[in-house]
Amino acid sequence: HMFTKYLDWDAQTDRYMGISVIYRGHCSPKAANGAVQSLKSSDKVQLVDWCPTGFKISMIDRMPSFLGDDGLKPTDRQCVMVGNNTAVARPFSRNIAHKYDLMYSQ
């Protein structure tokens, strides 16, 4: 799958612990920093209080490679965001912690 998200994500309570933004191809550092600053100042991305920076920016000069039959059009730039958020704890607590408790309750 090209896009994965949690179905029980709650934008009011869940926060991002860290976000990595990866730029590839023709993108200036000024434009990348400007995009991250606009995300920080908007209410669209909520970061946890105990993580002071929150964002990591990577810049790769090489152009994206294409396979031809992947359904994507060729482009000279790409941007990918990978985020780690607090909603990750819910599936672990429901599945893994419950099984752990069952195993050691015997």
Side-chain angles (χ1 to χ4, degrees):
H1 296 152
M2 293 182 73
F3 180 71
T4 304
K5 72 177 210 175
Y6 290 106
L7 298 177
D8 59 350
W9 166 261
D10 183 15
Q12 299 298 322
T13 59
D14 293 330
R15 305 280 188 247
Y16 282 100
M17 293 180 280
I19 297 174
S20 176
V21 184
I22 304 159
Y23 291 95
R24 186 177 189 115
H26 297 299
C27 183
S28 69
K30 184 176 180 178
N33 284 328
V36 168
Q37 291 304 320
S38 69
L39 281 174
K40 282 184 176 181
S41 65
S42 73
D43 290 335
K44 295 180 181 179
V45 175
Q46 300 290 329
L47 295 168
V48 292
D49 296 332
W50 45 266
C51 185
T53 56
F55 282 87
K56 175 187 176 279
I57 301 173
S58 298
M59 310 248 343
I60 302 170
D61 294 340
R62 297 172 65 194
M63 303 287 282
S65 58
F66 299 99
L67 301 175
D69 62 344
D70 61 358
L72 298 174
K73 291 175 70 174
T75 181
D76 62 345
R77 67 183 87 182
Q78 285 179 341
C79 178
V80 175
M81 185 208 67
V82 179
N84 186 8
N85 57 51
T86 57
V88 168
R90 280 194 293 280
F92 282 113
S93 66
R94 266 196 317 262
N95 300 330
I96 296 173
H98 178 71
K99 290 178 183 176
Y100 182 83
D101 291 340
L102 287 174
M103 183 174 69
Y104 283 101
S105 67
Q106 297 176 355

